[in-house]
Amino acid sequence: MASVIADHPPQELAAELAGLLRVDWRSVWPGVPDGEAGRDEWCTGFGWRPLWSQSGLWVRTPQGGRLHLAASPGPGRPVTRASYDVWKAAAGGASDGEVVLAAGLDRYAAHLARMTAALGAPGWEGAWDRPDFPEPPAPGRWGDADERRELRAPYRLAQWRYPHPLAPVIVLALDCRDTGYAAGGTITLTFHGPPDPNPMGGPGWLL
C-alpha cells in the first residue's frame, strides 16, 4: 500500500515560493561560512534556522518548510541549489506504481498552476520523453537524455530562467519510479545556482 510522506497544499508552496523569491541568492551561492557561530549568523540573515549538515545544510524557513542547501562535501563549499519537497509518496509494492503516478500528476498540475500565477508561464514545461527537454541547470543533475528516458526522471518538469547570471533557475519537477528500492514519487521546488567549479567528489559527484 502506498504511503504519503509529505503533502503540502498549493497555498503552502506559494508561501515558500514567496519567501524564496525575497532571498538574496548572490549571497547564498558562495557557500555557508565555516564554524557554528558564522553559520548561525549567516542563516539568521535569511530568516533560516539551521537543522543539520548532510551534503550541504538543511534549514527551516520562516514559513516552516525544510530546505536543503546542496553542496559538495567539506566546509565552505559553494551552494549549487536549494530544494523543498512539496509532495512525496512511497509505493508499498509494484501494484502501487500507477496510483502514485496518478496522485503525483494531479498534485503537480495543482502546484504548477499556483506557480504560474506567481511567476507567469514557465519557459519550458513538459514530460521526460520530449526531445526538447532542457539542459539541466547543473552538470550531472539529471543525467543525459538516454538516462532520463530510461528512468523517466524527472517525469514532468517546469522551468523558469532569467537573464541575470546569478539569478536562480527555478524548477518544479515530478519524479516517479514504479519499480526498485526507491519506488514512489516526489514533487520538488528547486532554486538552482551556478555549478560548483571544483566539486570535492570529482566529476562523478551528483549534486
Side-chain angles (χ1 to χ4, degrees):
M1 183 176 180
S3 57
V4 176
I5 300 168
D7 191 4
H8 300 289
Q11 59 266 30
E12 284 189 23
L13 172 66
E16 292 293 345
L17 176 64
L20 293 175
L21 290 173
R22 291 192 292 267
V23 170
D24 179 8
W25 291 98
R26 296 170 299 175
S27 302
V28 175
W29 306 138
V32 183
D34 295 344
E36 184 175 347
R39 180 205 65 186
D40 291 353
E41 182 178 357
W42 184 84
C43 286
T44 298
F46 302 110
W48 297 333
R49 179 167 58 87
L51 298 175
W52 67 83
S53 296
Q54 182 183 6
S55 300
L57 180 66
W58 292 80
V59 299
R60 184 73 68 190
T61 70
Q63 292 73 35
R66 197 167 62 189
L67 193 68
H68 180 210
L69 307 173
S72 294
R77 303 301 305 171
V79 172
T80 58
R81 73 175 189 270
S83 300
Y84 165 68
D85 284 347
V86 182
W87 173 84
K88 192 168 189 175
S95 60
D96 294 332
E98 291 186 5
V99 174
V100 170
L101 177 57
L105 287 170
D106 179 69
R107 282 157 177 77
Y108 174 85
H111 290 300
L112 176 60
R114 183 56 68 101
M115 288 190 62
T116 298
L119 300 176
W124 192 95
E125 196 282 322
W128 59 276
D129 56 350
R130 274 183 53 173
D132 61 339
F133 194 97
E135 288 298 312
R141 175 67 181 107
W142 296 317
D144 58 25
D146 290 339
E147 184 179 359
R148 288 200 304 268
R149 288 186 175 90
E150 180 182 354
L151 298 175
R152 298 191 301 173
Y155 196 89
R156 294 297 299 263
L157 179 140
Q159 183 183 90
W160 292 261
R161 282 184 178 269
Y162 302 95
H164 193 285
L166 293 180
V169 177
I170 303 175
V171 171
L172 181 72
L174 166 65
D175 253 326
C176 266
R177 301 184 184 181
D178 54 10
T179 59
Y181 174 76
T186 306
I187 298 174
T188 307
L189 168 65
T190 305
F191 278 50
H192 291 270
D196 186 340
N198 299 295
M200 295 294 287
W205 176 258
L206 298 182
L207 293 175

